[in-house]
Structure formats: structure tokens, C-alpha cells
Amino acid sequence: MIIWGAAFAGLLIGSYVNVVAHRVPLGKGVVRSRSECPECGHEIAAGDNIPLVSFLLLRGRCRHCGKPISLRYPAVEAGTAIAFGLVAWLIGPSWVLPAYLWATAVVVALVVTDLTHRRIPNRILYPGVAVGTALLAAGAALEGEIGALGRALIGGGAYFGGLLLLAIAARGGFGFGDVKLAFLLGEFTAYRSWGALLTAVMGGFAVGGLIGILLLLARRVGRKDVIAFGPAMTLGAAIGLGFGEAISSWYLGL
């Protein structure tokens, strides 16, 4: 019930994540203004704004102008639902589960903005980190895991500091948004274990390197082109949360 409930909540929240990811990089508000078609600007009625269902009923087109609706919207809604379900499965019935679900929604919004705008906006990241840390601290207190909270804060700071030094040494090889995102990812993976954090860091660089090589081979980018690193860091963190202990134990045992 927890897994399916989290997945359903993710489906609903995914719709709002779309709004945040679309409007924040453009400097628009995300609370008061109604959803509108990006093509014709017509306000979207509540009945046409049901996650996934409305996209299918409208056959992927705006009711007013007939222009195609980007597949990004249903993909983000479905992806957020799947991510919420997986996180609920990994964390289980725990007081820290709300913190992990919050962090998941924030990270999904940041990944979408990074892919579409090559930006990790502070307007999403800063509140995301503040609320996520508060929820994690409250959950850790209720679970009696204050030591894990300390490990989370140290791990987040270590990931942030390490990537900051690397960004300075690389002279622009990493955006500062990636550096700040490292704290959030490091915090929530380190809460699980040091092995989860180690796997998250190594996995992020491995995934990022693989994506870069594939894009170069496909001639989609050049050697000097900027590639979004936030999605690779996020995939690394997901690997760390799911398989961190097993992978880190295997690696350290070599």
C-alpha cells in the first residue's frame, strides 16, 4: 500500500514538477498562475490537466490550438510516479520516507531543467535542500538515527567540497549548479551508508563518462560542447541508494 500510494502521489506531484521545471527557468511564478498551453497561451481547464489521463484523452494535442503537447509532460509524470514507487520500496515504512520523496521530486525537477535549459536553478535547489534537510532531521530524530543524520551532513559536505575542488581545477569543466546539487545527493545517499555515497559518486562519473563517449561517437556533441552532468549524478545516486553496499563491498574487496 505504501509503494502504490507513493506512486500515485508521484503521478500527481509529477504534474506540478512539470510546471516548476518549465516556469522557473523563465522567471515565472509557480503558485498563483494557472497552467497554460506554451504554444497558444490559453489556460488549461482542470479537466484537461489530469496527469497522463488528459494527454491520452486529448491524443497529445492542445484542445484549443491543436498543437502537439510535448511528450516531456507525460514522461515526467510517469517517471516521477515510478521514482516515488521505487524510493518507497527501497526505504520502506520509515519516518524518513517523506524526506526521500521530497528529495526525489526536487531532483526530478532539477534534472528536467538541466536537460532542457542546461541550468540547475537556485530557486528550486535552495528550498529543496532546506526542506529536505529539515524533513530528514525530523525523520532521523523519530527513528533514533541521529548518527545517520550526522553521516548524511558530512557526506553531503564531502561530495560538495570534492566536486568544488574538481570544478576549480577543471576551470569550468563543471557548472556550480552541479557542485551544489552534489550536497543534496550526497546527503541522502550518505544517510543510507558510506557505501551508498561512494557508489553514488563513482556511479555519477561513470555514467557521465559513458554518456559523453556515446554522444561523441554519435557526433551529437563536440569535444568542447557542454553536457548536462546533473542527470548522470542523479543516476549515480539512484545506483548508490539501490545497490551501494553491494557494489562498494565488491569494489573495496578487489
Side-chain angles (χ1 to χ4, degrees):
M1 289 179 64
I2 291 175
I3 294 172
W4 283 108
F8 180 72
L11 185 63
L12 300 179
I13 293 172
S15 180
Y16 188 67
V17 167
N18 269 319
V19 173
V20 172
H22 173 69
R23 294 184 184 178
V24 168
L26 301 177
K28 297 181 178 181
V30 297
V31 178
R32 295 182 179 179
S33 53
R34 294 279 302 273
S35 297
E36 60 184 29
C37 173
E39 296 292 337
C40 64
H42 199 284
E43 286 191 357
I44 299 175
D48 291 340
N49 210 20
I50 304 173
L52 286 184
V53 175
S54 294
F55 181 85
L56 296 174
L57 292 177
L58 293 171
R59 297 182 180 180
R61 293 184 177 273
C62 173
R63 181 183 295 276
H64 303 281
C65 66
K67 294 292 182 63
I69 300 172
S70 174
L71 288 175
R72 189 194 80 182
Y73 296 104
V76 170
E77 292 166 355
T80 306
I82 294 171
F84 268 46
L86 288 174
V87 168
W89 175 64
L90 285 172
I91 303 302
S94 168
W95 288 109
V96 298
L97 179 58
Y100 275 88
L101 295 179
W102 168 269
T104 300
V106 171
V107 169
V108 170
L110 292 174
V111 166
V112 175
T113 58
D114 199 13
L115 287 172
T116 56
H117 298 277
R118 295 295 188 271
R119 288 179 54 199
I120 297 180
N122 292 334
R123 285 180 60 193
I124 301 175
L125 182 60
Y126 288 166
V129 171
V131 175
T133 302
L135 290 173
L136 191 63
L142 291 170
E143 291 281 340
E145 294 286 352
I146 300 301
L149 178 63
R151 182 176 65 238
L153 296 175
I154 294 172
Y159 197 0
F160 171 87
L163 202 60
L164 175 61
L165 293 176
L166 190 59
I168 294 173
R171 297 181 180 181
F174 295 94
F176 196 59
D178 297 329
V179 175
K180 290 180 285 188
L181 175 61
F183 180 84
L184 179 64
L185 298 178
E187 179 182 25
F188 278 86
T189 51
Y191 185 88
R192 293 276 282 179
S193 67
W194 289 119
L197 174 62
L198 176 63
T199 303
V201 176
M202 295 176 60
F205 281 99
V207 171
L210 179 61
I211 292 174
I213 291 172
L214 293 176
L215 290 175
L216 285 171
L217 291 176
R219 298 185 179 180
R220 298 292 299 272
V221 298
R223 294 182 62 183
K224 295 184 179 180
D225 290 336
V226 176
I227 299 174
F229 188 51
M233 295 173 64
T234 300
L235 285 175
I239 295 170
L241 286 175
F243 311 101
E245 280 300 305
I247 293 176
S248 62
S249 298
W250 167 79
Y251 180 77
L252 295 175
L254 292 177

